[in-house]
Amino acid sequence: MQTPLTKNIKPGRDFATLADYRATGGYEGLRKAVTSMESLQVQQVVKDSELRGRGGAGFPTGLKWSFVPMGENAPATKYFVVNADEMEPGTFKDRVLMEEDPHQLVEGIIIGSYAIRATSAYIFLRGEYHLSAERLAAAISEAYDQGYLGKNILDSDYSLDLYLHTSAGRYICGEETALLNSLEGKRANPRAKPPFPQISGLWGKPTIVNNVETVCNLPHILYYGLDWYHGLGRGKDKGTKLFGASGRVKRPGIWELPMGTPIREILEEHAGGMQDGYRLRGFLPGGVSTDFMLPEHLDVPMDFEAIAAHGSRMGTGTMIILDDRTCPVEFVLNVERFFSRESCGWCTPCRDGLPWVVAILEDLIQGKGRPGDLDLLHHQTRMMGPGNTFCALAPGAMEPLQSALKYFRDDFEKYLRRPVLAEAG
Ligand SMILES: Cc1cc2nc3c(=O)[nH]c(=O)nc-3n(C[C@H](O)[C@H](O)[C@H](O)COP(=O)(O)O)c2cc1C
Ligand code: SF4
């Protein structure tokens, strides 16, 4: 079974019902966990699986869980929160998982919650995901009816309540500490770390925040075991991943493939290659907050370290294609407008720097650029680089800009060579 996450998604079927889900081993991973394993054993299995978070940063899931206080002296209240905000442009992998097989996520949440002995769990869902909300709400209700949620799950000593919360809607709500503030009813500004959420998260209690796709791996790791899971990846990273492509490819979409699948295979075989009349100039490997890669990188495998070794990040694994008829400068302006609008305004470099970047790019495109503008843009990428802002939104926003300046410098300079159309004010 090579596609555990999407095996229940079938052409001609609306979505996997509870009966469909159970017909392929659904809720058996949970049964195994709560009836025959201690919470710490579940943690150990997930640690040994080497599952890495699918929300963008690739942090090892079992290691993250191990920071949560356990045992008799641990706080009585703990939370397990699923990050289903998915506002990264070009990314729609979590939506597919939630709409098409909602019970998979529900089962994963109960397993993750059991592993840290959470008392309540939350799904923090992107507000526009109406169909996901409807299907998840129905799945949660069915899970209560079947004894998978509520008091004494499957007659064990473990009890859990699961709540669905729809976001009021900002990109920053996907940052895990801003998400927790939002869930508490506060303004969605990121929190200072430390303390990390594992120690002091939602309402000051130990909290795990994991991405939807990460959590959807858990039932299968528990049910099918470590050897099977380790056998799925093709590179260093384990398991499968939902990879995607959007832009001028013949078949935009997402596909569940082994971790470590070469980029060329994803773009040429699964996405069908470029549309007629278009050539590939570059691509962002995982949403807009990653660095551009080039056609010369097509044979790099999609795993966290291989992509990092080539100057980018796997991010969400859903690629955005830059074709040869799209201006990279306009592409980047579009992206920076998004980030500028979504800045939460909490820290100065991001609040003021992003609109400044947008203004420079707009001037450049309108023929009002000045000789020092490219150096100034480069300077901005350093000012908003890692460590200079309160959260990772601004450094993420600088990744497509810094790599475009590196790889497509001629396209930027072309605008400086144009005659000035109007005097800058
Ligand atoms: C600005 C910003 C937006 C983010 N948006 C999301 C998101 O929509 N979904 C998500 O899972 N992680 C998002 N993240 C990453 C989360 O902060 C966090 O690392 C992730 O939910 C952890 O889950 P994982 O360990 O399972 O990957 C975002 C991070 C930043 C800085
Ligand atoms: S980097 Fe931007 S989004 Fe993050 S805290 Fe600062 S202002 Fe807010």
Side-chain angles (χ1 to χ4, degrees):
M1 206 268 300
Q2 299 299 304
T3 53
L5 304 177
T6 56
K7 67 176 190 292
N8 288 324
I9 303 179
K10 299 238 161 54
R13 178 153 94 185
D14 232 11
F15 71 104
T17 62
L18 176 61
D20 297 330
Y21 185 63
R22 281 204 288 221
T24 57
Y27 287 106
E28 290 308 313
L30 171 68
R31 187 179 304 280
K32 184 172 168 189
V34 295
T35 61
S36 69
M37 295 168 78
E38 298 293 332
S39 292
L40 284 174
Q41 285 177 301
V42 176
Q43 282 196 26
Q44 192 59 46
V45 168
V46 173
K47 219 182 214 176
D48 293 343
S49 76
E50 299 176 51
L51 170 67
R52 295 178 66 165
R54 308 303 201 224
F59 195 84
T61 306
L63 180 63
K64 184 190 270 192
W65 293 0
S66 70
F67 300 132
V68 173
M70 297 291 287
E72 280 175 15
N73 296 327
T77 305
K78 294 187 237 176
Y79 298 108
F80 190 88
V81 178
V82 175
N83 191 341
D85 197 48
E86 194 162 72
M87 269 191 71
E88 185 69 30
T91 301
F92 50 100
K93 65 185 183 69
D94 296 341
R95 175 163 70 86
V96 170
L97 291 171
M98 292 185 287
E99 285 181 2
E100 304 286 325
D101 200 4
H103 278 285
Q104 176 174 240
L105 179 61
V106 172
E107 184 184 2
I109 294 169
I110 308 167
I111 293 171
S113 301
Y114 178 69
I116 62 156
R117 286 265 161 190
T119 36
S120 304
Y122 290 85
I123 302 172
F124 187 94
L125 179 67
R126 178 173 174 168
E128 294 90 346
Y129 279 6
H130 303 292
L131 190 57
S132 300
E134 193 185 298
R135 290 185 178 165
L136 283 170
I140 292 169
S141 162
E142 285 172 333
Y144 271 104
D145 290 347
Q146 298 296 317
Y148 300 136
L149 278 169
K151 289 244 169 297
N152 302 111
I153 293 171
L154 297 172
D155 297 326
S156 70
D157 67 347
Y158 183 61
S159 305
L160 179 74
D161 283 314
L162 171 57
Y163 304 94
L164 177 64
H165 174 92
T166 46
S167 169
R170 296 309 291 184
Y171 177 67
I172 192 60
C173 292
E175 195 281 337
E176 60 180 11
T177 58
L179 182 156
L180 297 178
N181 273 345
S182 180
L183 208 45
E184 288 183 15
K186 298 178 183 148
R187 180 175 161 165
N189 292 130
R191 296 177 178 176
K193 292 192 256 187
F196 288 90
Q198 295 94 315
I199 306 297
S200 174
L202 194 59
W203 291 292
K205 303 296 179 196
T207 303
I208 282 296
V209 182
N210 272 138
N211 169 259
V212 169
E213 188 185 353
T214 313
V215 175
C216 286
N217 275 272
L218 301 174
H220 312 295
I221 293 171
L222 265 289
Y223 186 52
Y224 295 105
L226 290 176
D227 288 345
W228 163 82
Y229 192 72
H230 287 165
L232 288 177
R234 277 167 67 173
K236 196 157 179 286
D237 289 325
K238 307 292 187 277
T240 60
K241 169 94 191 71
L242 266 58
F243 293 120
S246 60
R248 298 270 181 200
V249 285
K250 286 195 178 122
R251 287 192 299 272
I254 59 167
W255 310 272
E256 183 182 3
L257 299 167
M259 274 290 202
T261 300
I263 295 165
R264 184 186 297 283
E265 196 176 310
I266 300 171
L267 291 186
E268 294 181 359
E269 282 180 34
H270 299 281
M274 296 299 287
Q275 290 176 11
D276 295 340
Y278 292 90
R279 264 189 327 108
L280 177 69
R281 268 202 90 184
F283 56 92
L284 300 171
V288 288
S289 48
T290 56
D291 285 85
F292 276 102
M293 295 177 79
L294 298 176
E296 70 196 50
H297 298 130
L298 280 177
D299 293 313
V300 174
M302 276 292 243
D303 72 40
F304 290 105
E305 284 175 27
I307 299 285
H310 290 85
S312 190
R313 292 188 306 113
M314 190 155 79
T316 57
T318 44
M319 291 181 257
I320 301 173
I321 308 303
L322 171 70
D323 62 76
D324 62 336
R325 293 209 220 157
T326 300
C327 169
V329 186
E330 290 189 40
F331 183 114
V332 171
L333 169 61
N334 190 22
V335 167
E336 298 308 332
R337 277 188 180 138
F338 168 80
F339 283 119
S340 171
R341 195 184 65 221
E342 295 297 331
S343 165
C344 82
W346 192 243
C347 57
T348 308
C350 173
R351 182 186 59 240
D352 290 346
L354 287 174
W356 192 3
V357 162
V358 168
I360 298 169
L361 290 169
E362 283 174 346
D363 276 358
L364 200 62
I365 287 169
Q366 288 164 19
K368 296 189 246 169
R370 299 169 194 83
D373 277 358
L374 302 196
D375 290 341
L376 188 52
L377 283 173
H378 180 74
H379 178 69
Q380 296 287 354
T381 65
R382 295 287 161 269
M383 293 299 287
M384 284 181 267
N388 291 339
T389 59
F390 201 73
C391 86
L393 184 143
M398 291 301 96
E399 291 184 23
L401 175 61
Q402 71 192 7
S403 47
L405 283 167
K406 183 167 74 172
Y407 293 138
F408 311 119
R409 194 158 180 107
D410 260 8
D411 295 82
F412 286 85
E413 286 176 348
K414 185 185 72 188
Y415 284 109
L416 283 174
R417 291 195 291 270
R418 278 190 188 172
V420 174
L421 300 178
E423 282 302 318

